[in-house]
Amino acid sequence: MVDVTEKKMDNPTFKSDTVLSDVHLYCPNKRHLMVRLNAVGQPVFLSYFKLLWNTEDLVSEKHMREATTEREHQYRSGNELCDKDRNNLKTERELNSEGVEALLDDDGDLEVVRRPRSASDLEAEDLLRDRVYPVVLMKGKEDAFEDEQQECTCSDVVKIEHTMATPLEDVGKQVWRAAFLLADYILFKRDTFRCCSVLELGGGTGITSIIMGTIAKRVYCTDVGEDLLAMCKQNVVLNKHLMEPGGGEVKVKELDWLKDEFCTDPEAPYSWSEEEIADLHNHCTVIMAADVFYDDDLTDALFRMLYRITHNLRNSCTIYLALEKRLNFTLRHMDVTCEAYSHFRNTLSDLENLQDRKIKYTVEPVKLDFCQFLVYERIEQL
């Protein structure tokens, strides 16, 4: 849990069970605007994600990162040492070549003489990573990002409210790389999804459903938990202008994988109507899910849900699953493994080999050579 005391916002502290957003660790904004505390006391931030319709934009971003990496290498290798540092280094080498005895402390441990840090070293450190200063967004200043985003038109930017650190059970409130990967694929294959009816499982903050909503006719973005669904609904409202030109809509609904039926309680805020359930069964041709395979029990529940839903669909359906293969060292294996991914692959294989007279499942991998429309690290584990 993040300590959100205003005086300590520059240096937040985390508990041992905290899960950090990999997207924001890799690509932090200059500022994060905290819009509120959610129902469980977590700070909710507002981020702007720019869509790179022009491939030159992505090349420019990549060039900047490569230039920073190159300068880091130059600094570390001493190619840009100031004259004073060069002289110091030369003197040290001359002394060492003359066989000067090593310096030892009182306990006999070796004392390492280090080169003093120069201004160039400090400059290099600043280049490696900008410090992130979260800022409390005061009431009435919803457009605080406006000055920074003047160059971005409305159709270029997706606004997402999210958290940056949560306990494991609330990771849906963060933005993850696999959601960006799936969004990239949707934008790359626009014609495939145009005018479709789509169901997203484990939609989280809703960023993938929002991207799909700019192309598809209707998207049912589902997850569980009123607090998370409220955040997702808010993000849909923030980006409604992106979907209006194409006539698409995103409906935020509750769908608990551990339950056999849809939530139809009229008093529940994100329940399904009978008409919506019928519309899903009659028209849905695409199901998608991003970064939802991190717990074996939830993976089993998801595949059971997929089985139930696909059996009730009138049309054939394509399911798109995006995930990141996360490697961890386990004491049980005394090795680096990826148990969650292994369980996912085994369960996927079971589904493909399922003997069912009514429906047949086939599995195909998707090559990751399609264009990148969002700035994130497309690592090989995706």
Side-chain angles (χ1 to χ4, degrees):
M1 185 173 179
V2 182
D3 184 347
V4 294
T5 305
E6 185 172 352
K7 294 181 179 179
K8 297 182 179 179
M9 284 296 292
D10 291 347
N11 297 290
T13 57
F14 306 101
K15 291 184 177 180
S16 59
D17 63 345
T18 300
V19 181
L20 299 176
S21 169
D22 50 7
V23 169
H24 289 91
L25 285 173
Y26 170 74
C27 195
N29 292 330
K30 293 181 180 179
R31 296 191 300 166
H32 292 298
L33 299 188
M34 191 184 85
V35 293
R36 66 177 184 276
L37 294 178
N38 62 18
V40 293
Q42 298 163 344
V44 176
F45 296 91
L46 179 66
S47 287
Y48 283 65
F49 299 102
K50 184 179 180 182
L51 294 173
L52 305 176
W53 297 113
N54 187 347
T55 55
E56 292 179 358
D57 294 339
L58 187 59
V59 172
S60 177
E61 293 278 351
K62 182 179 180 182
H63 176 72
M64 290 176 62
R65 290 197 298 271
E66 289 177 347
T68 301
T69 304
E70 176 63 22
R71 294 198 62 180
E72 173 192 354
H73 175 72
Q74 290 175 348
Y75 281 119
R76 287 182 176 177
S77 62
N79 289 341
E80 294 187 19
L81 292 174
C82 64
D83 292 338
K84 181 179 178 180
D85 293 330
R86 291 180 191 274
N87 294 334
N88 290 340
L89 198 58
K90 181 179 179 181
T91 302
E92 289 178 14
R93 288 172 178 168
E94 291 175 351
L95 289 174
N96 289 337
S97 64
E98 295 173 2
V100 176
E101 294 183 2
L103 297 177
L104 304 177
D105 62 15
D106 295 338
D107 297 328
D109 297 325
L110 177 66
E111 284 189 350
V112 180
V113 179
R114 299 188 181 277
R115 173 173 59 84
R117 300 183 70 187
S118 65
S120 60
D121 292 323
L122 297 176
E123 181 185 353
E125 185 176 288
D126 291 338
L127 283 172
L128 299 184
R129 183 184 181 90
D130 293 333
R131 290 202 64 181
V132 178
Y133 294 95
V135 178
V136 177
L137 182 62
M138 303 303 293
K139 185 177 181 180
K141 293 187 178 180
E142 288 81 359
D143 297 327
F145 262 136
E146 185 175 354
D147 294 339
E148 297 180 6
Q149 300 295 337
Q150 288 180 351
E151 297 180 358
C152 300
T153 63
C154 292
S155 60
D156 292 329
V157 175
V158 181
K159 302 177 184 178
I160 296 293
E161 288 191 4
H162 61 92
T163 59
M164 286 189 287
T166 61
L168 183 61
E169 59 269 20
D170 281 336
V171 292
K173 297 174 183 176
Q174 299 185 41
V175 185
W176 300 98
R177 273 190 289 249
F180 281 147
L181 181 73
L182 186 52
D184 275 345
Y185 187 77
I186 293 167
L187 293 171
F188 181 69
K189 291 283 190 179
R190 294 180 188 85
D191 292 340
T192 301
F193 303 107
R194 204 173 302 279
C195 299
C196 287
S197 183
V198 181
L199 170 67
E200 181 175 13
L201 301 175
T205 61
I207 186 170
T208 308
S209 283
I210 290 168
I211 295 296
M212 179 65 86
T214 65
I215 302 168
K217 178 182 179 181
R218 182 173 295 111
V219 182
Y220 291 100
C221 181
T222 67
D223 215 310
V224 65
E226 187 173 338
D227 193 36
L228 172 59
L229 292 171
M231 176 185 289
C232 183
K233 180 67 174 180
Q234 172 65 10
N235 288 330
V236 172
V237 173
L238 284 173
N239 297 279
K240 190 174 182 181
H241 62 285
L242 297 176
M243 296 169 274
E244 288 177 345
E249 67 172 334
V250 176
K251 293 191 173 186
V252 179
K253 297 294 176 181
E254 177 182 334
L255 187 58
D256 190 341
W257 306 341
L258 300 177
K259 297 179 180 179
D260 294 336
E261 303 294 336
F262 290 88
C263 175
T264 55
D265 183 358
E267 296 184 0
Y270 300 99
S271 63
W272 297 72
S273 67
E274 295 297 334
E275 292 78 10
E276 289 169 335
I277 295 175
D279 175 63
L280 177 72
H281 289 158
N282 292 333
H283 300 107
C284 180
T285 56
V286 174
I287 299 176
M288 61 182 184
D291 238 334
V292 295
F293 304 103
Y294 56 90
D295 178 89
D296 290 355
D297 292 335
L298 289 178
T299 296
D300 293 339
L302 172 63
F303 276 97
R304 287 194 296 268
M305 175 63 70
L306 284 174
Y307 182 80
R308 289 195 298 268
I309 292 176
T310 51
H311 266 65
N312 290 311
L313 297 182
R314 173 175 293 183
N315 304 302
S316 60
C317 177
T318 305
I319 305 169
Y320 296 90
L321 305 176
L323 69 156
E324 180 178 339
K325 183 179 179 181
R326 292 183 171 86
L327 304 174
N328 298 288
F329 179 83
T330 61
L331 292 176
R332 185 159 65 93
H333 295 92
M334 291 303 292
D335 197 2
V336 176
T337 63
C338 189
E339 293 183 300
Y341 177 76
S342 299
H343 185 76
F344 158 74
R345 289 302 301 264
N346 291 336
T347 311
L348 186 64
S349 179
D350 291 341
L351 184 68
E352 186 178 23
N353 296 327
L354 186 66
Q355 299 296 325
D356 192 310
R357 295 180 180 179
K358 182 179 179 181
I359 191 169
K360 178 177 176 58
Y361 300 91
T362 59
V363 177
E364 297 179 8
V366 176
K367 293 183 179 180
L368 302 188
D369 56 356
F370 49 88
C371 296
Q372 188 168 340
F373 294 91
L374 291 153
V375 180
Y376 65 100
E377 187 180 14
R378 190 181 282 187
I379 58 177
E380 62 181 7
Q381 286 79 22
L382 283 174

